[in-house]
Structures are given as C-alpha cells and as structure tokens.
Amino acid sequence: MILKLRRPDDFHVHLRDGEMLRQVAQYTASQFARALVMPNVPPIDTGPQAERLRNEILQHVSPASFTPLMTIRLTEKSMPETIHEAKRCGVVAAKVYPQGVTTGSHGGLTIDQLQQMGAVFAAMQDVGMILCWHGEFPGPGWLQAEQRMLPEIRKVVDDFPRLRQVLEHISTREGVEWVRRCPDMVAGTITVHHLFLTLDDLGGRGKFGRGGMLQPHYFYAPIAKDDSDRQALAEAAIEPSGKFFLGTDSAPHPIDRKFNVDAGCCAAGVFSAPVAMAALASKFEELNALDRLEGFTSAHGARFYGLPLNEGSIVLEKQAWVVPETVAGMVPFLAGEELSWRVAGIDNV
Ligand code: DOR
Ligand code: ZN
C-alpha cells in the first residue's frame, strides 16, 4: 500500500549548528519542505543572528527543496525594535522559554519578566510575527508545569487578540482542551514522541519500556505524561479543526550528553527526525485515521502560519522496518522498534 501526501512541514525542530547541524539537517530536509528552526541552541536572539544560522543551514540542504523558517528567542533584552529588525530579516516567529525549564533556557524569561513584555508582544502583533510558547511554568511542580503556565499565556491571548500564538509540544489533556477553548488565533503543536510514549515508557515499564530501566532517550521536555494525556493528544492530532499540527521537536544531543557517567546528568531531547513521517503514518493507521495525516502534517500548520501549501509530495509505503540503533552517531527515537510504514521518497514538482 502506498500513501502519497502533500509535502509536510515541521513547525518545531532543533537543527543546532556546526558539526551537529551538518549531521542532522538531511533527516529533516529529506521529508519536510519547511521547518521552523528553534532558537535555543545556538541562542538566536536577533534577526541578524537568525540570518547567519539560516545561511549555515542552507549549506547543508538543497535550497530548492527545503526552506528553513527562522525564529528568535525573547529575552529580557528584547525590545520592539528587536522585533522590527527580525521581521526585516525574515524571522517568522519569536519564542518564549520560561527560565530554566529545558535545554538552553538559562537566558529565558522569569514570570515577572514575561509580564514586562507588553511592548514586544504589541510589536509582534503589529508586524504579524507569531508567538511560540514553551508552555511550562518555571520552578518546582514538574508534572503540573504545563497546566500552571496556561493562565499566564491566556493573559497574553486576552491582551493581544490579533497576535497568533502557538502552545508548543502540548503534553497534557488540559493543554489540548485549553487550545480548543482559545480563540482561533491560538493553535498547538504536537510531537511524534508525545503521541507514542507515557511516563511509564521513560521509567522502563511501559509498552516501549525495557525491563524497568530508565530510558534516557525517552527523556524530553515537557516530560511524557499519562495515557489519558496521550489519548487526548491523539484525538487532537486527528481532528480536522486546523488548531493542531505537527511540530516534531526533534532535538538531537551527542551521546555523551544523554549518558554522561561523570556528570551523572542526561540532557532532555529526542532525535525523532529520522523516523518522523514513518512513525506518524504507523500511528495514524493504528488510530484508523490515515486520511487525517495530511491535514496534520501538510495543511493546518501552513494555514495557521499564513504560508502557501507546499507543492510536491512525500510517498509513504506500508512496509515493516526496524529503526536502527544509531543514526549519525546518535540514538534515534524508537531505536530498535518496528514501524509498519516507511518513507519511499519525495516527488518535487
Ligand atoms: O526535550 C527538549 N529538548 N525540549 C526542549 O524544549 C528543548 C529541546 C532541546 O533543545 O534539546
Ligand atoms: Zn523544542
């Protein structure tokens, strides 16, 4: 069986820079026509920095078949002029990282600083720049961090009704329902990994668990929640409202950042780009919703971002394969697991 979809977009990816970028860019560019490049690692706080990273990315992909969409990080130094300059540099979105919640968020915003960002949000609203949220409240209360952040975001939704905003990598049922209740200017992205895993898998006791052993490659932020949350995300991913779309949050880390015996630490992030579309086709088939996959990957996000739908298609084939244990020297998402679909190729028009 063959499934041909309009070429998809990934509205949330970490491509990094330097050698890591060189290694990983092809996995995103070989499936997606466009990807929204996150600004945390390396930190990208201004339009000119975004331009430099875009040029670096374009050295590793074919510009005719892949377009990086650039973002900046909002920090306490961001000003309305930062937004105007970024807009002139072609930046499409700015991202809030609450301080300390994930990789590269030390320069992020405290809740107090967030409340001082009104002039910046107003400038974004004026120029039509999208506001992306890492929606986790900083500090203790990890498993409730997403729920606790929603009222903070809602204040910005109410104060800036023409500002388009995205709750990134939704991880809870409450997050899904919150996006549904918000006006149409608010959407949410859903990752591949949050559709597959629960906290039990991270703890080694779920379907993808391995004998009760902690799984560093299933550690990411926001952390996986329980099965009811996972089901709510699946329902959102297949709904036709247009409010939910794909942002893989593929976030590669060198193996010594995932397993560092000396430091005794493990970085948050899952390298899902190599399996993204194959895993999604397998999941949507399991949900009896293959006919909804194209909306999720190739239409809803583009419409929300005000971009034309992509030309060309991606061809998926129903053929079982086992995800390799390593890709580009890293452990990809679902390493060692069997997927029922694979990517057969790209048709560029
Ligand atoms: O798991 C994650 N990894 N979540 C994020 O928000 C950041 C990302 C990264 O950059 O590694
Ligand atoms: Zn991310």
Side-chain angles (χ1 to χ4, degrees), residues 12-14 16 38 40 95 97 102 134 168-169 191 221-222 248-251:
H12 184 135
V13 72
H14 300 266
R16 317 303 193 198
M38 288 297 120
N40 61 332
K95 174 112 185 225
Y97 283 101
T102 188
H134 183 111
E168 298 289 346
H169 42 53
T191 74
T248 65
D249 200 9
S250 180

Side-chain angles (χ1 to χ4, degrees), residues 44-264:
I44 302 293
D45 299 344
T46 68
Q49 290 170 352
E51 266 186 335
R52 278 195 291 278
L53 181 58
R54 175 175 33 217
N55 290 338
E56 188 183 343
I57 294 167
L58 289 174
Q59 288 168 20
H60 303 293
V61 298
S62 157
S65 68
F66 178 73
T67 305
L69 305 171
M70 304 310 291
T71 63
I72 58 168
R73 219 171 45 145
L74 296 181
T75 72
E76 61 174 336
K77 297 199 181 118
S78 306
M79 310 286 279
E81 177 45 32
T82 318
I83 300 301
H84 292 289
E85 179 189 52
K87 182 74 183 176
R88 290 194 295 275
C89 295
V91 166
V92 300
K95 174 112 185 225
V96 170
Y97 283 101
Q99 205 172 86
V101 294
T102 188
T103 310
S105 63
H106 314 292
L109 298 171
T110 64
I111 295 296
D112 282 350
Q113 287 166 346
L114 187 58
Q115 287 162 356
Q116 310 301 316
M117 298 298 284
V120 170
F121 294 150
M124 291 177 65
Q125 178 170 258
D126 286 347
V127 303
M129 188 178 291
I130 290 183
L131 176 56
C132 296
W133 291 89
H134 183 111
E136 289 195 288
F137 199 90
W142 200 18
L143 289 178
Q144 275 69 49
E146 186 166 284
Q147 289 93 314
R148 285 190 65 201
M149 194 64 191
L150 300 175
E152 301 298 328
I153 306 176
R154 183 70 210 210
K155 287 181 206 157
V156 182
V157 172
D158 291 339
D159 288 350
F160 300 93
R162 290 181 294 107
L163 178 59
R164 278 175 292 163
Q165 306 187 44
V166 183
L167 179 63
E168 298 289 346
H169 42 53
I170 311 170
S171 68
T172 60
R173 180 172 285 278
E174 287 85 349
V176 166
E177 287 167 0
W178 180 88
V179 170
R180 287 201 184 108
R181 281 197 307 277
C182 277
D184 285 348
M185 300 304 270
V186 179
T189 56
I190 297 175
T191 74
V192 183
H193 43 280
H194 287 96
L195 290 174
F196 273 79
L197 303 184
T198 68
L199 193 52
D200 282 331
D201 296 299
L202 171 66
R205 49 175 66 209
K207 178 175 168 200
F208 296 100
R210 295 185 187 174
M213 308 243 271
L214 190 76
Q215 300 290 297
H217 297 294
Y218 293 158
F219 175 54
Y220 46 79
I223 196 165
K225 306 296 187 318
D226 68 22
D227 206 50
S228 157
D229 299 300
R230 197 183 57 80
Q231 279 175 28
L233 291 164
E235 283 158 23
I238 67 175
E239 79 172 39
S241 67
K243 272 186 153 282
F244 300 95
F245 48 87
L246 175 64
T248 65
D249 200 9
S250 180
H253 288 278
I255 214 135
D256 67 352
R257 297 259 306 150
K258 293 299 276 180
F259 292 102
N260 189 318
V261 176
D262 294 333

